[in-house]
């Protein structure tokens, strides 16, 4: 797992070349203008990044979870915000590919893999974040249809995406009363809130998704009624790995920028890079990133093979990777001094983008709960 084959190196290089050519040069501009570069997303899909771990029979690349985290790390060196959206899109596509029947897979997955259609994941609500099983969006059966009412909050890609995988309550309170339903954008009664003003992730839209008597066919339910919470949680295992990879990639970019700055900047007659105190700080940053990367690859392998400890390993990798990524990026900003605070150097954007990674896909406090349960349950 730690020695890449020739094919694995080629995949890594392709993702890094794409990030260098299409993401990094525009990242600050997209952030400042709140521009969502759909054309660039489709270029990424042309390289197989719209369906990284999706079956080849519906247009996917059929790569492994370890391949995926390496790809997302490389993409995030160019722009963590765009890399993170591609992660979310892949999670949506995977849910339909994994839990959809053959008709559902062939209806939606090819367009998602090509990113001719973009996907959004609708779990969080204004009153249900970490306690996702308490969601209140309802889907009431009416003949051959369901009628949805409710509001989803903090939905990446909302308003632009064509496909929404929605977790809605079709039964009683609790996780077993939740179903996963595919809702197309053109469904009557579906609307969107204003694009949120955010600290970071400005290159992708974040809006409420509002359901007012939205009627969709019962055939749009993924799996069986009542399986939605399980589908959501299984999807989040992979999402947690990918977002940790985005944190590591963003932080690696910030570290590289810091090294370049220290090599060029002189103070008191010497390069800043020659100061041993700063060298030690860089050494710690590199070590912390490598530790996070190693844990991430270990967790990705566990998820790929279905290991018994995959859930807690994904939680560990997410918590450690996103905390480490933010800390390293923040330290890089400090090393640039006042220049780190300026938008043109790109480091302050990375810091802002990575901060939300400690919150989404399950807050890092919830990741600690997941890991603690695995410890207590085994005692």
């Amino acid at each position: 797992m730690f020695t890449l084959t020739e094919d694995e190196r080629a995949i890594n290089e392709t993702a890094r070349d794409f990030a260098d050519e299409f993401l990094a040069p525009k990242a600050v501009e997209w952030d400042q203008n709140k521009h969502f570069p759909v054309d660039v997303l489709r270029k990424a899909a042309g390289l197989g990044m719209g369906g990284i771990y999706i079956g080849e029979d519906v247009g996917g690349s059929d790569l492994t979870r370890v391949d995926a985290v390496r790809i997302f790390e490389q993409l995030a060196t160019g722009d963590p915000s765009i890399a993170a959206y591609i992660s979310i899109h892949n999670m949506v596509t995977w849910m339909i590919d994994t839990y959809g029947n053959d008709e559902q897979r062939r209806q939606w997955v090819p367009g998602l893999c090509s990113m001719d259609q973009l996907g959004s994941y609708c779990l969080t609500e204004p009153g249900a974040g970490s306690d996702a099983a308490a969601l209140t969006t309802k889907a009431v059966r009416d003949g051959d249809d369901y009628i949805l009412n409710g509001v989803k909050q903090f939905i990446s890609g909302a308003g632009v995406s064509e496909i929404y995988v929605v977790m809605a309550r079709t039964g009683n309170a609790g996780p077993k009363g939740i179903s996963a339903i595919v809702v197309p954008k053109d469904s009557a009664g579906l609307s969107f809130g204003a694009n949120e003003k955010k600290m970071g992730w400005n290159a992708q839209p974040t809006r409420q998704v509002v359901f007012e008597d939205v009627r969709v066919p019962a055939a749009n339910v993924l799996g069986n009624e009542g399986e939605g919470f399980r589908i959501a949680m299984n999807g989040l295992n992979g999402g947690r790995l990918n977002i940790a990879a985005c944190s590591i990639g963003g932080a690696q970019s910030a570290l590289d920028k810091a090294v370049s700055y220290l090599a060029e900047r002189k103070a008191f007659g010497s390069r800043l890079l020659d100061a041993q105190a700063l060298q030690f700080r860089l050494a710690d940053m590199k070590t912390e990133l490598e530790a996070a990367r190693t844990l991430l690859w270990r967790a990705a392998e566990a998820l790929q093979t279905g290991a018994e400890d995959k859930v807690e390993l994904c939680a560990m990798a997410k918590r450690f990777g996103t905390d480490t990524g933010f800390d390293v990026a923040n330290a890089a900003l400090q090393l640039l001094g006042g220049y780190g605070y300026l938008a043109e150097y790109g480091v302050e954007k990375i810091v802002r983008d990575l901060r939300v990674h400690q919150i989404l896909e399950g807050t890092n406090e919830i990741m600690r709960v997941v890991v603690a349960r695995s410890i207590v349950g085994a005692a």
Side-chain angles (χ1 to χ4, degrees), residues 5 142 144 155 298:
T5 66
D142 182 33
D144 292 333
I155 307 304
R298 162 84 168 89

Side-chain angles (χ1 to χ4, degrees), residues 82-109:
I82 297 304
Y85 174 74
I86 296 175
S87 163
I88 293 165
H89 174 89
N90 270 267
M91 181 169 64
V92 169
T93 307
W94 176 84
M95 288 179 177
I96 300 175
D97 183 49
T98 302
Y99 295 100
N101 57 37
D102 190 63
E103 182 178 349
Q104 291 170 330
R105 293 178 70 243
R106 297 193 181 281
Q107 179 178 358
W108 291 306
V109 176

Side-chain angles (χ1 to χ4, degrees), residues 324-347:
T324 298
F326 178 78
D327 289 346
V328 168
N330 197 40
L333 190 154
Q334 186 72 19
L335 289 173
L336 267 71
Y339 292 101
Y341 205 65
L342 299 182
E344 65 184 281
Y345 287 80
V347 178

